[in-house]
Amino acid sequence: MSHSQTASPKLTAPDPAEKAKKAKPLKRGRPVGDREAKRKELLSAAISVIADEGYAGASMRKVAKKAGHTTGAVTYYFANKEEMVAAVADHVFDQFDATLDLNQNSVDVRSIVQKWLDWTSEEDTDTWLAVFQLLAHARHEPVFASVIRERYSRFRRALTAVLQRGQDQGVIRKDIRADLLADQLSAISDGWQMMLPIEPERFKPDRSQALLDTAITLISPTSC
């Protein structure tokens, strides 16, 4: 090679460690590790997507992207959007059931209602925003509607049992049937949760506590 010619630059192999840092592939195929933990991760992503995009705007692809998985990983757990949404509903009601399980041997209605308020009052309101989206579309989705009816009915029956124990112990009023009190408490709490994300100024801590006190007064034994 003459001195007038420019020598070719020397090629160096890329640093494997640096290459690994730059490449961040999505988690593909069948998820590995704790299946239940992965499923909960996807349900959390689904709740977030439904809260942000609405029921109609949510898709398995968006849920996969939110969770950092491929769509194939989502379909490993849920065959379609309807099955995924039904699983979201079950997941939310599982939290309700856990609250009632804490009252199996005692009657603490205040803690049950307080838990509802706490879920809605947290900075992350995705769960309740998603629930309202799902309830609005349930009448158009028969399969999903049946999940809502069955789980809500199960929850009211459990709440009724708690109130009946309270009536037997003399801490809950007896002049109104326990199942009617359960319906009233559910309706009151649902109404608060529906409006809190829209009118947060109405539900400052002091006023929320006053509303809770009022609800407990309504189901407490009458003085007459």
Side-chain angles (χ1 to χ4, degrees), residues 41-113:
E41 178 186 349
L42 292 174
L43 288 174
S44 178
I47 288 172
S48 181
V49 170
I50 293 170
D52 291 341
E53 306 282 346
Y55 176 84
S59 68
M60 300 183 78
R61 178 182 60 78
K62 290 178 181 178
V63 170
K65 182 178 180 180
K66 184 74 174 180
H69 290 278
T70 62
T71 304
V74 180
T75 57
Y76 174 75
Y77 289 95
F78 311 109
N80 49 47
K81 176 179 175 178
E82 289 70 27
E83 183 177 309
M84 180 181 69
V85 170
V88 166
D90 273 324
H91 178 66
V92 172
F93 276 99
D94 283 344
Q95 297 177 57
F96 290 167
D97 292 347
T99 300
L100 289 175
D101 285 343
L102 299 176
N103 285 267
Q104 288 301 311
N105 299 316
S106 63
V107 179
D108 190 355
V109 179
R110 176 182 290 273
S111 71
I112 296 174
V113 180

Side-chain angles (χ1 to χ4, degrees), residues 117-157:
L117 289 174
D118 288 344
W119 279 329
T120 316
S121 301
E122 291 172 355
E123 291 184 5
D124 180 9
T125 59
D126 281 357
T127 297
W128 284 111
L129 291 174
V131 166
F132 297 144
Q133 286 287 335
L134 299 183
L135 289 175
H137 286 82
R139 63 190 296 265
H140 304 296
E141 302 285 348
V143 175
F144 174 55
S146 68
V147 173
I148 293 291
R149 284 195 301 269
E150 193 278 328
R151 292 303 302 265
Y152 216 129
S153 177
R154 187 195 308 178
F155 173 75
R156 289 197 308 272
R157 289 196 301 270

